[in-house]
Amino acid sequence: MGIISPAERLTVPTDFCEPVEAGLLTVDLSALVSNWRKLASLSGGAECGAVVKADGYGLGQAAVMRALAGAGCKTFFVANLLEGETARALAPEATIYVLDGVVPGCAPRLAAAGLRPCIGSFAELEEWAAAGATLGRKLEAALHFDTGMNRLGFAPRMAADVVARARGIAPTLVMSHFVSSQLPADPINARQIADFLPVRAHFPGVLASMANSSGVFLPEKPYFDVVRPGYALYGGNPTPGARNPMRAVAHISARIISVRDLSPGDTVGYDGVWKAPRPSRVATIGAGYADGLPVSATAAPEKPAGEAIVGGARCPFVGRVSMDYVVLDVTDAPKGAAERGQWVELLGESIDVEALAARARTIGYEVLTRLGRRYARRYAG
Ligand SMILES: *Cc1c(COP(=O)(O)O)cnc(C)c1O
């Protein structure tokens, strides 16, 4: 990809360059908010919620929720009770849905925190109604219908039955989830929407929701009343194969902690999986798989290795990614750019989560949620 101008590449503000730090994760909260606003503007007037499960896709649930609530987001989705309790403490007024639904025994705590489970079975419905009866009121919940994931939710043909048996609760949302919304040409999208429409008709006056991030970009425009983006908020590309319309939110940089010159035939790292083909200069950076750089970002016959931006040049990982270190081939980096103490970019505007994921045979969602806890974290914006 060649040289990137210094202005284009991630600039690490000098106050970030504290000598104690070898790895830095910067979360750009203004980019997060701008992604949320963009998704809201693309959703045909539907309310734009935010999925903040898995610690805000690895970026920090507290900072993410405060930023989005401050920007006007009123509906949040989390995976489980504990995430929901955290969410409630952060956003006392918000509507918070728990995607797991009612896990056995959790109903009283869900109710106490004012959380709304996404119910997908009669057993959950009964536990939720019983928890409500104890409190003397009908508790609010989403009803989740399974139009193809075969993971969670009622079968669409059970809709009339669900209406009858949901009398002991107060449904506030009827929802389903796409199998392949990232593939707009897949006929399953239209089929799922077609199966969801009659379900929705059974619940007049209840809000409906289907779209995750990629769902917002489907030609069928399945916005309904509430959209539920996660990945795209955090800078993931909801339109794989096309240009990423979202701004980068996670920026990872690491410092060069050692540089050396190798002769042809010298190897790097465990098991010597990389052998210098020419006189080479290599730089060791202070981040490894314990920081979320996948071991699978090591070069393999069928795919190239991960890369870092060093002084504007793309430099490949050489040798196996180890726990605390990655070694870069900086032979072709600009003179003076690959020196001890300098910062290199691993994730950001020049290398997005898809790019790193593609070189690690995984998906951007996994890259984000496995970023690791060791970095110094900075929240900007
Ligand atoms: C995780 C999740 C989302 C968000 O999906 P993204 O692809 O990250 O936008 C929406 N709905 C449900 C049910 C989910 O589990």
Side-chain angles (χ1 to χ4, degrees):
M1 289 284 291
I3 307 287
I4 292 155
S5 78
E8 278 171 339
R9 79 185 130 94
L10 176 81
T11 48
V12 179
T14 46
D15 61 321
F16 289 175
C17 299
E18 292 162 17
V20 293
E21 294 164 354
L24 177 65
L25 169 61
T26 305
V27 179
D28 184 345
L29 296 172
S30 46
L32 172 84
V33 165
S34 121
N35 288 341
W36 180 75
R37 293 207 170 106
K38 177 166 198 166
L39 291 160
S41 75
L42 290 171
S43 298
E47 180 189 347
C48 191
V51 181
V52 296
K53 61 197 181 189
D55 196 26
Y57 286 51
L59 300 185
Q61 186 184 352
V64 160
M65 281 192 64
R66 282 199 192 100
L68 292 175
C73 182
K74 293 183 166 53
T75 302
F76 294 92
F77 295 82
V78 296
N80 61 34
L81 168 66
L82 293 180
E83 292 178 353
E85 288 177 338
T86 304
R88 175 54 71 220
L90 291 162
E93 305 297 325
T95 297
I96 300 166
Y97 287 102
V98 176
L99 295 166
D100 283 2
V102 182
V103 169
C106 291
R109 264 175 75 173
L110 286 166
L115 304 171
R116 301 182 183 180
C118 298
I119 289 176
S121 68
F122 291 120
E124 292 170 78
L125 211 46
E126 277 158 29
E127 286 184 35
W128 198 233
T134 308
L135 298 169
R137 60 190 173 91
K138 291 185 183 183
L139 295 173
E140 289 146 334
L143 294 168
H144 188 171
F145 284 85
D146 179 8
T147 53
M149 282 292 276
N150 286 313
R151 205 170 60 164
L152 299 170
F154 295 102
R157 65 180 154 71
M158 292 154 90
D161 225 14
V162 175
V163 171
R165 293 172 68 176
R167 294 220 173 87
I169 70 154
T172 52
L173 190 73
V174 57
M175 61 179 278
S176 192
H177 193 44
F178 284 112
V179 171
S180 291
S181 54
Q182 74 285 3
L183 302 173
D186 194 322
I188 196 171
N189 295 310
R191 210 268 294 138
Q192 287 187 272
I193 294 166
D195 286 354
F196 184 64
L197 290 172
V199 169
R200 183 199 189 199
H202 276 93
F203 297 91
V206 177
L207 302 181
S209 174
M210 261 198 109
N212 66 333
S213 298
S214 294
V216 169
F217 294 84
L218 281 175
E220 291 88 355
K221 306 189 190 305
Y223 313 134
F224 296 100
D225 304 300
V226 181
V227 296
R228 318 188 295 270
Y231 190 49
L233 291 174
Y234 309 101
N237 187 355
T239 58
R243 196 188 68 83
N244 188 348
M246 312 318 297
R247 283 177 58 188
V249 176
H251 298 261
I252 295 178
S253 39
R255 296 226 289 181
I256 295 174
I257 55 181
S258 175
V259 181
R260 65 204 56 225
D261 292 303
L262 302 183
S263 304
D266 287 347
T267 68
V268 165
Y270 290 116
D271 293 340
V273 299
W274 186 78
K275 193 178 275 183
R278 56 174 175 166
S280 302
R281 194 163 170 76
V282 296
T284 304
I285 58 172
Y289 62 76
D291 305 288
L293 299 175
V295 175
S296 54
T298 304
E302 72 283 7
K303 59 125 199 93
E307 292 177 322
I309 308 287
V310 182
R314 284 176 185 269
C315 296
F317 298 2
V318 291
R320 184 174 302 147
V321 172
S322 55
M323 185 185 294
D324 313 311
Y325 310 111
V326 165
V327 180
L328 305 173
D329 180 358
V330 294
T331 314
D332 298 326
K335 246 194 155 31
E339 301 295 340
R340 178 172 169 269
Q342 278 168 331
W343 290 92
V344 307
E345 177 191 340
L346 292 158
L347 201 61
E349 301 294 347
S350 310
I351 301 178
D352 71 5
V353 283
E354 264 72 30
L356 175 54
R359 284 167 180 256
R361 279 194 239 90
T362 180
I363 57 174
Y365 292 72
E366 190 181 28
V367 167
L368 280 179
T369 54
R370 292 206 178 170
L371 283 176
R373 279 149 289 276
R374 188 163 60 179
Y375 298 110
R377 283 190 181 219
R378 295 290 184 278
Y379 289 92

